Amino acid sequence: TSEDTLQTARALSMYCVGLPFFTLVRITVPAFYALKDTRTPALISVLSVALNILFCFQLRGTYGFVGLALAASLAGVANFALLTYLLRSRIDMTGDRDNLIALGKIVAASLVTGVAVWLMKHFLFMQIQQSRLVNLGAVTVMIAVAVAIYLLLCRWLRMEEWTRLADAFMRRFRR
């Protein structure tokens, strides 16, 4: 039913909060393995499971099943935060400032693009719901506009990766 779909969307939106952190944990753990340390990620993982259980008990009463999804996301955030903190204390992160500046630019461009997509979706799909073909066209236009906005923001923010991509693209088509 439509109510089931709405409830599933609510739970999935809470899982989406943790999705970047689940991915970042999968990237961070091999750094410990490279340092010949398998114990720390395992202990942090056990702690993360314990936090997940604690969060589940705390959030299920207030938020129901959506709280369970949020608990998993919060445990993922804690897992990544602890791993990152411990990793940074063990290795010298030279160039960290440059990476943080680049990350800030990427996040800013992504947020602006996300807001633009949300606005397009909100206004475009509220007006157009005639057929699947028309909706497909609207989604295609939204994607193209979102990519254009993101790339323009990358250029405006003078992101080094954008410069490399643009140079490679121009070299490819000059031939």
Side-chain angles (χ1 to χ4, degrees):
T1 67
S2 62
E3 181 61 27
D4 293 334
T5 302
L6 180 63
Q7 296 301 330
T8 302
R10 288 180 57 218
L12 287 174
S13 67
M14 291 298 110
Y15 280 121
C16 285
V17 170
L19 194 57
F21 299 99
F22 301 141
T23 304
L24 289 168
V25 165
R26 299 277 299 172
I27 294 169
T28 307
V29 168
F32 283 93
Y33 296 161
L35 295 171
K36 307 265 190 272
D37 180 6
T38 58
R39 186 172 184 231
T40 301
L43 291 174
I44 298 298
S45 178
V46 169
L47 179 62
S48 177
V49 170
L51 283 172
N52 189 9
I53 292 168
L54 178 71
F55 291 149
C56 282
F57 282 116
Q58 293 298 317
L59 296 173
R60 85 180 148 111
T62 307
Y63 300 105
F65 67 94
V66 175
L68 299 177
L70 180 59
S73 291
L74 292 175
V77 170
N79 191 354
F80 173 68
L82 287 168
L83 285 172
T84 303
Y85 174 77
L86 293 172
L87 185 62
R88 289 180 60 123
S89 69
R90 291 187 185 175
I91 61 174
D92 180 32
M93 304 282 267
T94 56
D96 206 22
R97 183 177 184 277
D98 294 337
N99 289 335
L100 288 175
I101 290 171
L103 178 63
K105 289 178 180 182
I106 291 168
V107 167
S110 298
L111 286 174
V112 171
T113 303
V115 168
V117 168
W118 183 84
L119 288 171
M120 284 188 292
K121 176 198 158 281
H122 183 71
F123 292 111
L124 196 57
F125 277 102
M126 290 300 200
Q127 307 301 322
I128 301 172
Q129 290 186 349
Q130 297 148 354
S131 70
R132 286 186 180 186
L133 186 61
V134 171
N135 286 341
L136 178 63
V139 168
T140 303
V141 167
M142 283 175 42
I143 291 170
V145 170
V147 168
I149 289 170
Y150 185 78
L151 292 176
L152 286 171
L153 286 169
C154 289
R155 180 181 173 140
W156 183 67
L157 292 170
R158 293 181 177 92
M159 293 173 61
E160 181 181 337
E161 295 79 7
W162 160 253
T163 305
R164 283 192 228 148
L165 178 67
D167 289 347
F169 187 76
M170 294 307 286
R171 278 194 309 271
R172 174 82 174 154
F173 287 101
R174 280 190 202 145
R175 295 179 186 176

